[in-house]
Amino acid sequence: KTALEMCDHVIACSPWVKMTHSKVVPEEKISIAFWGVDSKKFHPLEEKPPGFNVLFVGGDPIRKGLRYLAEAMQGLDAELWTVGCPPGYFPEGVKARQFGMVPHDEVVKIMQQCHVICIPTLEDGIALAIQEGMACGLVPITTPECAEVFEDGISGYKVDYRDTQSIRQRLIALYSSPMRQYISKRARKLAETQTWERTKEEFKTIIKNHLSR
């Protein structure tokens, strides 16, 4: 709060972050510059592996909503892969592969082996892993604040908070539907436009405009 009050201008990484900061400083003092993704480093394989692997990435499984994804996957013919969080126990009927903390370069290789990335977060400024997954050709499923980086129903799917049933329905629909390939390509194409160069240009523009005033 003190840091925000001392600033002449604030650059937020998403509308949700802008909203939270606006509780401290006026909205007109806040601009938005979305984070980017390195789509050369994060890219899909020429051919996806067989099966149906659903990826979760997050250091805080409670805040990131891992429970709701695990419950949604009970009894499905799919594997839940988790990265970044400590190994835990999942409900009966969930096939899980838990990697824990891994180097960032290893995350790319894990993403390339998956088909969907689902982070049903309860609170998040922006989930960079969603954009990285999109760049790897994964279909993203996430809650409203992190769904701001894709078009719902076109390059990913937005679900409500704690909505286990909606997550499950999306996963079942994507399992064998040709829509999965379509959404995957759209997600990759969109991620290619979300570059760090774009982020830097947005920062430059915001700072120049503020200095000119």
Side-chain angles (χ1 to χ4, degrees):
K1 183 175 182 294
T2 301
L4 287 171
E5 289 174 340
M6 290 173 65
C7 290
D8 295 302
H9 199 75
V10 177
I11 303 177
C13 64
S14 73
W16 188 86
V17 174
K18 179 176 179 177
M19 181 272 293
T20 60
H21 289 350
S22 67
K23 296 176 182 178
V24 179
V25 295
E27 276 197 33
E28 56 269 22
K29 287 184 64 175
I30 309 171
S31 299
I32 297 172
F34 279 100
W35 285 355
V37 60
D38 184 347
S39 56
K40 291 182 179 178
K41 177 179 180 179
F42 289 86
H43 63 88
L45 298 176
E46 289 188 11
E47 189 173 339
K48 280 286 185 184
F52 190 62
N53 303 324
V54 179
L55 179 65
F56 171 91
V57 180
D60 184 346
I62 296 175
R63 182 171 62 85
K64 296 279 188 175
L66 177 56
R67 165 190 168 185
Y68 307 103
L69 172 57
E71 290 175 354
M73 292 190 64
Q74 282 184 277
L76 298 186
D77 185 17
E79 280 194 355
L80 171 57
W81 290 21
T82 66
V83 171
C85 54
Y89 296 98
F90 294 108
E92 186 177 347
V94 177
K95 303 172 189 176
R97 190 171 177 185
Q98 303 177 71
F99 293 89
M101 295 292 292
V102 296
H104 203 223
D105 287 344
E106 292 297 314
V107 175
V108 181
K109 297 175 184 177
I110 294 170
M111 283 185 168
Q112 290 173 332
Q113 299 296 315
C114 292
H115 304 85
V116 171
I117 181 166
C118 182
I119 307 177
T121 183
L122 303 178
E123 181 183 68
D124 221 323
I126 193 169
L128 185 56
I130 289 289
Q131 290 171 272
E132 293 171 343
M134 289 167 58
C136 288
L138 279 67
V139 176
I141 301 174
T142 189
T143 42
E145 61 218 39
C146 293
E148 291 166 340
V149 296
F150 60 76
E151 302 160 282
D152 184 31
I154 297 175
S155 47
Y157 291 108
K158 177 171 65 175
V159 293
D160 288 334
Y161 303 100
R162 302 181 178 88
D163 194 344
T164 297
Q165 193 57 37
S166 289
I167 297 170
R168 184 178 181 85
Q169 289 171 352
R170 289 297 182 196
L171 293 175
I172 292 172
L174 288 168
Y175 181 80
S176 57
S177 170
M179 281 295 292
R180 190 174 87 202
Q181 285 71 34
Y182 172 77
I183 298 289
S184 168
K185 289 177 182 178
R186 292 284 299 180
R188 166 65 188 178
K189 188 175 180 179
L190 183 58
E192 288 175 333
T193 70
Q194 299 172 345
T195 65
W196 284 113
E197 285 300 320
R198 180 203 65 175
T199 304
K200 288 191 286 185
E201 288 302 317
E202 289 175 352
F203 262 79
K204 283 168 60 177
T205 300
I206 292 166
I207 293 168
K208 280 184 178 178
N209 289 343
H210 182 71
L211 287 174
S212 69
R213 293 197 296 269

